[in-house]
Every structure is written in C-alpha cells, then in structure tokens.
Amino acid sequence: MAGGLPPLNSQMTIDLNISEVTALEEQYQLATYKKMPIVAERGEGCWIYASNGERYLDLYGGHAVAGTGHCHPHVVGAIKQQADDLLFYSNLVYSESRARAAEKLVSIAPDALTKAFFCNSGTEANENAMRMARMATGRENVITFGGGFHGRTADAISATFLGKYRELGKPNVPGHLRAEFGDIESVRALADDSVAAIMLEPIQSMAGVRMAEASYFQALRELCDERGIVLIYDEVQTGVGRTGQWFFAGGTAGAGVTPDIITLAKALGSGIPVGACLITDKIASHIKENDLGTTFGGGMIAMAAVSATLEAIASDRMLDNVRAVEAYLRERLKDVEQVVKVRGLGFLLGIEFKENAKAVHEALLERRIITGTSSDPKVLRLLPPLCLRKSEADVFVDALGSTLNAT
Ligand SMILES: Cc1ncc(COP(=O)(O)O)c(C=O)c1O
C-alpha cells in the first residue's frame, strides 16, 4: 500500500462509519463468507452490540464458539492476566497455565481419556486424531460418514463427505472410506484390517443436526473393539457442554459409549483459537517424542482461556441451564405450527420447517436475531451460548411466531 502504516506515535485509528468499515473489509479481505450486515463492536452474554447502536440476540455464537457467552468476565480476566504475565512460549518449556488446562480437561472427560494434545483448531484436532490412529494401528484407512464435516485442511476435508466440501479439497488424500450415518451394516462392510479409525460427528451438525439411535454408538464401539479399530468422536461442535453434558461421549444419547479419541475446538477457548484431542493411555503409548508437534498449540493465552472457560461453565452451572432451557424451548416451539420437528440435543438444535429455513433465518435477522442455517434447506440451526436464559428463548420464539405469521 502506498505510504504504508503510520508511525506508532501518530493517531492510529479514527473511528470509521459503518459503510467505511464494510467497504474497507470488502476491499482488503478475501471474500469467503456471505456476511450479515452487522458491524460487530461489543458482546455480552447472548448479545452482540453493533456499531449502529442496535443489539442482536446471538443464537449462533460465531460458528458455535461463544459457549460461555460473549466476553464472560472470568474468561476475559484470565486472558488479560495471562497476557500481562507471558503471551507465549512453546511446548519446549513447562507452564502452569498449560498444566492446569490439561488437568482440568482430562478431569471432566470420560475416565478412559487420560491425556490431552493441544493444537489450534478443529481441523487440526481431527488431522492429529487420524494420524494418532494410524500410528497406533499401523493401518491407513479411515471410515467417515455421508453428511459429516471434519474441517478444511487436506486430510480432514478428504474425510468430509458433506456436499461440495470434499471436491474443494481435490486432489484428496487417499485412505478415506465413506459409510452411511446411522447404518451399522454400511460400516461393517468396510471395516476390514486396513482400517485404522472410524471417525464421526456424534450429531451431524452442518448436515442439518442429524442424530443416530443410542444403540448405533454401542454397535460402533463393539465393531471397533472386535476389529482393533480406533473410534474417534469429532466433538468440535458437541463438546464443551453444548449437549447439556461436558461431552456427547459417555452420555445417554450415545449409550454411555466412550471413544478412544475425542476432538475439540470451537467453544473450548471462548473465542481464543484452540483445539484438542483427548486420548486413552493405550493410544498415547504409541506416540513418541517428535511424532506430533505444533508451534502454537498449548500456548499460554489459549491455555488460560481453556481453564477459565471450563471454570465459568462449571461455576455458572451452565450444563444445568442448557438442559432446562432446551426443555423450555422445545415446549414453546410446540405451539409454532410451522415447526415440523426439533432435532438435536441441548443447545445444538435443528428446527425443521416445511420449507425454506433460509427465509426464516433472514426474517429473524431483520428482527435482530442471529441464527444459523445448514446444508438441509429446511433446517434452521441454533447454537446459542450455554448461558441463554428462558427470557431470551422467549424473545426468539415470539419473533419466530410473528415472522412466520407475517409471511
Ligand atoms: C464438527 C466439526 N469438525 C471440525 C470442524 C473444523 O473446525 P475448524 O473450523 O476450527 O478447523 C468444524 C467446523 O465447523 C466442525 O463443525
């Protein structure tokens, strides 16, 4: 850019108006998403405050990241404190911040998962999980499922059999086999001694919040045990309290089944990028020094955010809140006649309409409510912060009713 950046001692920023921000971002940032017409300035709990003075009820959480709500004071305080102490040092040194985050994460995980590996995103967590499964078994193939989404880096996108994504990752990494979600026979047919891992989203979120029977998870566990295959749950969306339990793994919706690896990201750092794999001792025993690595994974700021996120969820009793407000929301949605079905668990909900959820999403946005769509055109997705109150759920259901009755 002609002239470059101004010197540090000059006035760095002059507030831009809304159209200037929009124009600048469109000019200089590569366009990847269709953006909502909101210039986000501040957040608190389930609310986003825009620079035009409007506030928006956020039932999407910035791609399911704002689990503790926006700017939870305990999380913000911990990040500020850590920033004062030490921004970063890599895994070449020990750190109290990292030690505490790993201990906390393992302490809330199902008993068999005893070690944490930290990275920076969901796709990286999945890549590392698949790699660990290959190292542990000496096999190469990974079975994933039609409708599943696992990320956009080469191996993870090759494991993604949802819509156009896999095509976008061409040429794909070899060694990926597709089975059908909920259909154990389709898995059995592929699960020979070339298969290192079966990896799945226990609730397929982007596919439209698709669920499987509890007995299906039991059958997957038995198949993996019988054939020496590593079972990986991609809990990037379902983890960290979203289903009203810390993880889908171990819960009743999944017949209490524990996988060999859980992958996490999104809500884990309340907005600070962080991903993780939780693994068994058995898998860990196959991983030697230098087999895996990362520059930023396990950095102090991210680790402070992880600990504070878990503490905030526990101390504010957010898991209880998720279950209570989910039940309330489901009850209230029974009165909305255009709603065909409410899919999902906890605060990962897919509201199915007779048609066109995108139009509902847009009409709600005009009423200043942020929701999500999915690859199923009839399903509106809600991934609100875990602190959503009944009164805020009422704001949504009332707006939904008036939106639908107006069209
Ligand atoms: C289930 C699931 N896995 C993996 C990912 C990839 O996570 P990230 O975007 O942090 O790489 C996503 C992202 O939406 C996801 O929903």
Side-chain angles (χ1 to χ4, degrees), residues 251-274:
T252 47
V257 163
T258 301
D260 303 294
I261 305 181
I262 291 177
T263 62
L264 301 169
K266 297 227 185 250
L268 184 58
S270 295
I272 299 292
V274 56

Side-chain angles (χ1 to χ4, degrees), residues 384-405:
L386 311 186
C387 56
L388 183 79
R389 299 190 186 112
K390 288 182 182 167
S391 57
E392 291 161 334
D394 283 336
V395 172
F396 164 67
V397 181
D398 293 345
L400 183 66
S402 54
T403 296
L404 293 168
N405 293 333

Side-chain angles (χ1 to χ4, degrees), residues 34-331:
K34 180 169 168 23
K35 291 183 185 180
M36 296 180 281
I38 298 172
V39 178
E41 220 169 50
R42 197 166 66 75
E44 194 180 332
C46 297
W47 298 87
I48 282 287
Y49 294 80
S51 62
N52 62 357
E54 302 282 13
R55 69 171 192 163
Y56 290 78
L57 179 61
D58 183 12
L59 303 181
Y60 192 60
H63 284 310
V65 168
T68 53
H70 295 286
C71 300
H72 191 291
H74 181 63
V75 180
V76 172
I79 293 166
K80 282 183 176 163
Q81 178 64 55
Q82 184 61 55
D84 278 342
D85 292 346
L86 180 61
L87 284 177
F88 181 77
Y89 208 92
S90 64
N91 290 287
L92 289 177
V93 300
Y94 290 93
S95 138
E96 182 172 340
S97 170
R98 189 185 304 125
R100 289 196 184 281
E103 182 201 23
K104 280 199 173 70
L105 198 51
V106 167
S107 77
I108 56 166
D111 287 347
L113 303 173
T114 54
K115 288 219 158 24
F117 169 80
F118 290 110
C119 52
N120 310 286
S121 64
T123 196
E124 249 188 276
N126 288 334
E127 296 249 344
N128 281 288
M130 289 189 280
R131 197 164 301 161
M132 284 191 255
R134 291 179 179 125
M135 287 171 177
T137 59
R139 305 171 180 173
E140 288 192 355
N141 287 339
V142 175
I143 298 176
T144 51
F145 296 85
F149 181 86
H150 300 292
R152 293 174 187 261
T153 49
D155 208 12
I157 207 166
S158 302
T160 291
F161 292 101
L162 172 70
K164 64 179 190 308
Y165 291 103
R166 198 164 191 274
E167 283 292 306
L168 296 172
K170 290 259 172 183
N172 291 129
V173 174
H176 289 280
L177 309 174
R178 173 188 169 140
E180 297 316 315
F181 188 61
D183 171 4
I184 192 67
E185 290 313 320
S186 74
V187 193
R188 237 189 272 282
L190 297 172
D192 61 20
D193 61 10
S194 72
V195 174
I198 295 174
M199 180 166 78
L200 70 157
E201 282 180 89
I203 301 175
Q204 290 192 331
S205 179
M206 280 170 64
V209 192
R210 294 171 68 203
M211 309 234 349
E213 300 286 327
S215 57
Y216 175 66
F217 297 93
Q218 187 67 47
L220 283 176
R221 181 69 273 178
E222 283 164 14
L223 184 65
C224 286
D225 291 343
E226 185 189 303
R227 304 196 184 172
I229 296 170
V230 174
L231 183 59
I232 304 172
Y233 281 7
D234 174 344
E235 294 224 42
V236 167
Q237 291 215 18
T238 55
V240 201
R242 181 143 306 278
T243 61
Q245 307 158 155
W246 283 112
F247 306 102
F248 181 94
T252 47
V257 163
T258 301
D260 303 294
I261 305 181
I262 291 177
T263 62
L264 301 169
K266 297 227 185 250
L268 184 58
S270 295
I272 299 292
V274 56
C277 299
L278 287 169
I279 62 178
T280 59
D281 273 344
K282 191 169 169 202
I283 303 278
S285 71
H286 292 273
I287 316 295
K288 303 181 299 301
E289 256 174 46
N290 288 326
D291 282 352
L292 303 178
T294 157
T295 298
F296 287 117
M300 283 81 195
I301 293 279
M303 296 298 98
V306 168
S307 289
T309 296
L310 303 181
E311 286 160 3
I313 292 172
S315 69
D316 292 0
R317 305 185 65 84
M318 290 192 207
L319 303 184
D320 294 342
N321 184 65
V322 170
R323 293 193 294 267
V325 179
E326 176 203 3
Y328 179 74
L329 199 48
R330 283 182 180 276
E331 208 45 50

